[in-house]
Amino acid sequence: SISSLFCSGSRSSKTFKPKKNIPEGSHQYELLKHAEATLGSGNLRMAVMLPDGEDLNEWVAVNTVDFFNQINMLYGTITDFCTEESCPVMSAGPKYEYHWADGTNIKKPIKCSAPKYIDYLMTWVQDQLDDETLFPSKIGVPFPKNFMSVAKTILKRLFRVYAHIYHQHFDPVIQLQEEAHLNTSFKHFIFFVQEFNLIDRRELAPLQELIEKLTSKDR
């Protein structure tokens, strides 16, 4: 229940999947710290810009891991409300429905409930992040040539979890007092994908009005 979630203080630590850690002492960890420091200044447009002299792939990699962790935590807080019964299809409002395919295990898109879809999606993202050939954590190991297209697919899919939470589970988010957290996280995500043109505008359509509202103040 919501009240027990509050009292136990488990709210912040409950993630949907295990958190993906960036190894301390690594250059990527330094980049993450830099991102956190600029975020603290409150200027999200500045915070998403590529730091001077840094590698774009590495910057996108660090932020992608960070967004996975944020969404993991946000969705973790509302899993009790996202069930086979409440969400028999994965949707973002009445006009948008998502069917799952990962291109390897499931080639033909399947219709499934939101919790099942999000489970597939987050497991798939986790597998990509854990793949050292795609997301090298060691210094000097180059990123693969297809890294950007993989990152774009990851971010496009993570967006769908935000879209589902906003459209189908906004009431519990408000009850849990997670609204500011969700809005800040999503705004950061949107500024990031806009800065590097990582998600096609059509994909963002389910939250277009919200995106305009959140970003108009910071033009």
Side-chain angles (χ1 to χ4, degrees):
S1 77
I2 289 173
S3 56
S4 67
L5 209 60
F6 263 115
C7 304
S8 63
S10 66
R11 187 170 60 123
S12 57
S13 57
K14 184 181 173 189
T15 59
F16 179 55
K17 296 274 171 200
K19 188 169 185 281
K20 171 76 182 163
N21 288 317
I22 289 176
E24 265 187 73
S26 67
H27 183 61
Q28 292 184 6
Y29 188 77
E30 298 300 311
L31 275 179
L32 182 65
K33 288 282 156 255
H34 168 88
E36 284 170 1
T38 32
L39 273 176
S41 74
N43 186 335
L44 287 170
R45 282 263 183 246
M46 291 288 290
V48 297
M49 288 176 180
L50 180 67
D52 283 350
E54 292 298 344
D55 174 51
L56 180 61
N57 284 344
E58 199 158 32
W59 182 238
V60 169
V62 166
N63 282 278
T64 300
V65 169
D66 192 35
F67 289 126
F68 167 78
N69 286 332
Q70 289 183 41
I71 292 167
N72 201 357
M73 204 167 83
L74 286 160
Y75 184 68
T77 61
I78 58 108
T79 46
D80 295 348
F81 305 95
C82 187
T83 64
E84 301 283 326
E85 295 72 40
S86 70
C87 304
V89 294
M90 172 63 180
S91 63
K95 289 201 301 213
Y96 300 95
E97 189 178 304
Y98 299 113
H99 297 173
W100 177 255
D102 58 15
T104 45
N105 301 324
I106 300 172
K107 292 194 165 68
K108 194 167 177 264
I110 57 167
K111 197 169 177 162
C112 53
S113 68
K116 190 115 197 98
Y117 185 102
I118 293 171
D119 192 23
Y120 278 133
L121 186 156
M122 296 299 270
T123 304
W124 177 83
V125 173
Q126 212 171 14
D127 290 345
Q128 310 305 303
L129 301 181
D130 287 340
D131 184 341
E132 282 287 328
T133 63
L134 276 179
F135 280 77
S137 60
K138 296 178 182 63
I139 299 279
V141 176
F143 281 85
K145 290 200 166 45
N146 67 332
F147 173 75
M148 254 332 155
S149 70
V150 173
K152 284 177 176 178
T153 305
I154 292 173
L155 293 164
K156 174 180 84 177
R157 288 179 172 169
L158 288 175
F159 168 81
R160 294 171 182 177
V161 185
Y162 280 120
H164 180 70
I165 294 172
Y166 271 113
H167 276 283
Q168 313 302 132
H169 301 295
F170 200 58
D171 287 344
V173 166
I174 291 170
Q175 289 172 312
L176 291 163
Q177 299 182 331
E178 290 279 351
E179 189 184 354
H181 183 150
L182 174 65
N183 285 344
T184 304
S185 173
F186 181 63
K187 190 171 169 181
H188 180 201
F189 178 89
I190 285 301
F191 280 0
F192 190 81
V193 300
Q194 285 178 343
E195 174 74 12
F196 303 106
N197 205 11
L198 298 169
I199 301 183
D200 192 302
R201 273 183 70 89
R202 282 172 312 204
E203 284 286 337
L204 300 174
L207 293 177
Q208 197 49 51
E209 282 174 37
L210 175 70
I211 291 169
E212 280 163 20
K213 201 174 105 186
L214 288 176
T215 56
S216 63
K217 299 188 206 60
D218 293 81
R219 287 253 151 74

